[in-house]
Amino acid sequence: MSTVIEIANDLAKSFVLAESKKHAAQRIVIELSCLAYTDTKQSIDFDLKKTLLHLIFELVSGQRAFEVKNGERFFTTSKDGYVFSEMLHQLEKKLSAVAKPQRVEEEETPQAYYLWPFTVQQ
């Protein structure tokens, strides 16, 4: 079971080390969207996702120190912090998108509603 700081640290490190910051940001959204509590298996709420995003920003921008493991070395640049700050609002918007049920017409259950993956309310 990872802590919030450990999760933010790992995602921030992946952003800093990535060649494509856009792809790294997309990966962060996917990772945060998939996070669930270990005991209940419930998805984490938006406030915690937003907190994680802001912790990642603090790490990437140099406001908070990374937790490094056994001689691990990497450096952030001011460009990393700037790029992430430019993406922050858009990332929050993507995380706040709520999946909406789509109606599926079937003969057996004409009033059935199903939640299809990757269907989000814009």
Side-chain angles (χ1 to χ4, degrees):
M1 184 166 109
S2 298
T3 66
V4 172
I5 295 295
E6 290 170 336
I7 294 167
N9 193 69
D10 290 343
L11 293 174
K13 183 170 55 171
S14 69
F15 182 84
V16 169
L17 297 175
E19 289 183 32
S20 171
K21 303 301 183 192
K22 182 178 178 180
H23 287 115
Q26 290 173 344
R27 180 172 177 251
I28 288 171
V29 169
I30 291 168
E31 292 285 335
L32 293 179
S33 297
C34 294
L35 283 178
Y37 296 106
T38 54
D39 53 348
T40 63
K41 306 297 185 225
Q42 292 273 350
S43 178
I44 64 171
D45 60 2
F46 174 69
D47 290 334
L48 185 52
K49 292 175 186 178
K50 190 173 177 180
T51 299
L52 279 161
L53 266 182
H54 286 276
L55 284 171
I56 293 168
F57 171 69
E58 289 177 10
L59 289 161
V60 169
S61 65
Q63 297 174 26
R64 182 182 291 265
F66 278 92
E67 293 178 11
V68 293
K69 301 170 188 163
N70 300 337
E72 189 177 45
R73 299 185 106 191
F74 63 93
F75 301 97
T76 61
T77 64
S78 58
K79 182 180 178 185
D80 293 330
Y82 176 76
V83 169
F84 196 84
S85 69
E86 290 292 312
M87 296 178 170
L88 191 59
H89 179 70
Q90 190 65 26
L91 295 175
E92 285 179 3
K93 189 175 176 181
K94 287 181 181 181
L95 284 174
S96 70
V98 178
K100 70 176 184 179
Q102 280 187 344
R103 186 175 176 147
V104 178
E105 298 293 333
E106 293 184 23
E107 291 180 7
E108 300 89 40
T109 55
Q111 296 297 321
Y113 288 85
Y114 295 93
L115 184 63
W116 293 99
F118 310 111
T119 305
V120 294
Q121 184 176 352
Q122 296 288 334

